[in-house]
Amino acid sequence: MTGQPIPVIIDCDTGVDDALALLFAVRHPGLDLRAVTCVAGNTDVDQVVRNTLIVLDHAGAGDIPVARGAARPLIEPARSAAHVHGQDGMGDMGLPDSTRTPVDVDAVTLLRREILASPSPVTLIPTAPLTNIALLLRTFPEVTRNIERIVFMGGAVAVGNATPVAEFNVWHDPEAAAILLTAGVPITMYGLDVFERVQVPAADVRRLRESAEPRLKLAGDLLAHRDPAASGDPTPTGGLGDA
């Protein structure tokens, strides 16, 4: 890859799939992860912050600011996905707390600060319900001048995973999704159907789980949680979509 890394900010509800995305973003040479913001979704927002800090530790990340965001959707009460991601959102693996701490500003303030301070336009990557992003766009619309595009995981072409017709991230806060989709910012949407096609061979999962490198072992454990058969079945694992 040539040129400068792409400045990105991830807005997440760190469960198993978001943790894998964070590991990828930290280690990818073509990405400059400038901040991570947290929102309620797969689990409550305080647990999301805890999980995010743990993943950054395992990834060997530098001093990346992490901020706590919305504790519930704009209108509806919060609804977790513990049945998919475990009670702690990370497969109940019992990982120790990080020594990192979140910054002393809220997620929307951090998003505004990092977007406007970036020397080149930022790509926002929400992998969660879109509450933080909606609040940002409505509170500080001036940020759009330095947003390259918003690449988000949400929606589905076929069957949903929260209801037969709804994908979790959009279903969790549909009003926030509507704000994003009408904000006039360039958008790339990756629906649930795309992630159901992601396959990781079971042999690769086992090799990752046996690694002495924390980031590799965590990736393997997370993949195994998404498909327990991957730890012993030679067939590929299942999809990696959200809750």
Side-chain angles (χ1 to χ4, degrees):
M1 181 175 293
T2 59
Q4 295 298 314
I6 300 169
V8 302
I9 298 173
I10 292 180
D11 182 75
C12 57
D13 58 342
T14 304
V16 173
D17 47 0
D18 305 76
L20 288 164
L22 285 170
L23 288 170
F24 178 87
V26 170
R27 304 306 303 183
H28 197 293
L31 300 178
D32 172 20
L33 182 58
R34 300 184 64 87
V36 181
T37 50
C38 301
V39 66
N42 288 326
T43 187
D44 67 87
V45 69
D46 291 324
Q47 186 66 46
V48 171
V49 172
R50 175 182 181 270
N51 293 346
T52 300
L53 298 174
I54 289 170
V55 173
L56 293 178
D57 272 349
H58 280 72
D63 187 18
I64 296 172
V66 174
R68 180 186 189 276
R72 53 167 290 174
L74 296 178
I75 296 175
E76 299 291 334
R79 298 169 285 189
S80 80
H83 62 291
V84 174
H85 296 268
Q87 293 303 312
D88 69 354
M90 289 275 287
D92 296 322
M93 291 188 285
L95 298 170
D97 285 341
S98 170
T99 58
R100 297 170 184 255
T101 56
V103 295
D104 60 359
V105 298
D106 64 273
V108 173
T109 300
L110 180 64
L111 284 164
R112 178 182 182 274
R113 185 180 81 191
E114 292 297 325
I115 291 168
L116 295 181
S118 177
S120 57
V122 171
T123 296
L124 293 186
I125 307 176
T127 60
L130 294 159
T131 316
N132 286 343
I133 306 304
L135 291 169
L136 170 72
L137 293 172
R138 283 295 173 88
T139 308
F140 301 113
E142 67 271 18
V143 299
T144 59
R145 69 173 184 260
N146 209 35
I147 294 176
E148 179 73 23
R149 62 175 177 153
I150 298 177
V151 180
F152 76 101
M153 191 272 139
V157 173
V159 177
N161 59 354
T163 76
V165 295
E167 174 275 331
F168 179 84
N169 286 342
V170 172
W171 169 82
H172 192 270
D173 197 342
E175 289 78 16
I179 289 172
L180 168 63
L181 293 170
T182 58
V185 180
I187 291 170
T188 301
M189 169 183 156
Y190 286 92
L192 179 67
D193 318 79
V194 175
F195 295 94
E196 289 179 339
R197 300 187 179 200
V198 177
Q199 303 289 318
V200 182
D204 290 344
V205 175
R206 290 196 298 272
R207 186 164 61 252
L208 289 168
R209 298 188 78 187
E210 293 166 359
S211 174
E213 289 283 342
R215 63 182 182 275
L216 299 181
K217 180 174 180 1
L218 178 59
D221 289 342
L222 293 167
L223 289 165
H225 175 80
R226 293 298 292 178
D227 185 357
S231 60
D233 187 335
T235 60
T237 69
L240 297 177
D242 208 339

